[in-house]
Amino acid sequence: MPLAITESPSPQLGVDVEPAPAEGTMAQVVPLLHPAERARVEAAEAGARAGVFATLWARKEAYLKGLGTGPGRDLAADVTPPFF
């Protein structure tokens, strides 16, 4: 379940809705992630792997956008917290 918390009385939130990632996408991106993130995805049961990857990727993408670099930054340079 998505959750957003803010102290602002009129928050502005963006929502990025995407389909579950395809195996091919995961096969291309997972090797580029930080080793701890790769381990999280690879440790997930096969049926849960796409969801784990999608959650991790959403955090990674938001983090990189927050830095102002977007996914042009080395995906293995930083690890995002697991929170799940």
Side-chain angles (χ1 to χ4, degrees):
M1 173 194 314
L3 173 69
I5 300 172
T6 181
E7 293 180 9
S8 172
S10 58
Q12 295 183 11
L13 301 172
V15 177
D16 185 2
V17 179
E18 298 181 25
E23 282 294 323
T25 300
M26 291 181 5
Q28 290 177 329
V29 177
V30 169
L32 304 175
L33 297 173
H34 186 279
E37 294 168 330
R38 277 196 313 265
R40 265 188 260 155
V41 174
E42 292 167 356
E45 294 182 24
R49 198 165 290 144
V52 170
F53 173 79
T55 300
L56 186 148
W57 180 252
R59 285 193 182 96
K60 174 73 87 172
E61 188 177 29
Y63 172 78
L64 294 173
K65 286 179 181 178
L67 290 179
T69 63
R73 180 178 168 89
D74 178 8
L75 297 179
D78 307 289
V79 63
T80 54
F83 296 125
F84 56 88

